[in-house]
Amino acid sequence: MAELDALDRRLIDAFQRDLPLCPRPFAAMAERLGVSEAQVVQRLQALQRCEVLSRVGPVFDHARAGASLLAAVSVPEAERDAVAAAINRSPGVNHNYAREHDFNLWFVMTAADENQLEARLEALEEEFGRPLLRLPMVEGYHIDLGFPIPWDELEAP
């Protein structure tokens, strides 16, 4: 388990929501924290390497920005990693994960519009020689997964 210092905790606490939307977001984060942009980038990379953070970036409402859906495919376990890698190379994929289910690879794909989305999905079906299960969102829910990260009892850098 990673040992988080005060800067790690401040960084996580301050930016698990409301990532700056500007040309240099890491510089804006650094200014708010009173550290250098290089320190912010280095800390975020380190937190990802030790799996404290899985991803750094905005979350978009894809229904407002174009088209998206959850898709799944059933592949033999021996082929799973190769198929997952092919999915990851596809444009518009922003999540891809294994599941213990007959449909054992699940991913979210986005596109500018429904036609482009369907063309991308059909291209994957052709590449894999397998049908994709298409699961469009019927109703969206927002679950705020943010929670306070105490840091003030630690000495800040």
Side-chain angles (χ1 to χ4, degrees):
M1 188 164 152
E3 190 69 34
L4 303 180
D5 68 12
L7 179 56
D8 294 329
R9 290 169 177 266
R10 289 172 54 221
L11 182 58
I12 295 167
D13 190 56
F15 298 106
Q16 57 185 312
R17 295 179 197 85
D18 301 323
L19 196 66
L21 186 57
C22 62
R24 296 187 60 197
F26 301 123
M29 294 164 71
E31 183 177 338
R32 182 166 160 196
L33 295 171
V35 299
S36 72
E37 181 178 15
Q39 283 177 289
V40 167
V41 171
Q42 180 272 325
R43 290 297 180 110
L44 291 172
Q45 289 171 336
L47 290 167
Q48 284 186 285
R49 273 193 309 274
C50 66
E51 298 180 340
V52 170
L53 300 178
S54 60
R55 126 182 225 289
V56 175
V59 175
F60 295 99
D61 181 351
H62 296 290
R64 295 169 123 179
S68 70
L69 63 70
L70 176 65
V73 63
S74 178
V75 297
E77 285 301 311
E79 298 174 26
R80 190 183 71 193
D81 290 347
V83 172
I87 291 169
N88 288 342
R89 286 190 300 272
S90 299
V93 172
N94 58 24
H95 293 81
N96 182 8
Y97 43 93
R99 288 273 178 111
E100 292 181 15
H101 188 273
D102 289 342
F103 285 92
N104 54 350
L105 283 176
W106 295 66
F107 60 97
V108 175
M109 181 174 273
T110 63
D113 57 44
E114 294 291 337
N115 291 334
Q116 185 182 59
L117 179 63
E118 187 57 29
R120 289 176 177 178
L121 294 167
E122 287 174 358
L124 286 176
E125 286 177 320
E126 188 173 316
E127 180 179 349
F128 304 148
R130 299 177 183 285
L132 298 178
L133 177 64
R134 290 161 170 76
L135 301 163
M137 183 169 59
V138 175
E139 186 172 344
Y141 296 93
H142 175 74
I143 300 171
D144 185 353
L145 299 177
F147 52 90
I149 308 293
W151 57 267
D152 52 353
E153 71 275 2
L154 301 174
E155 183 181 317

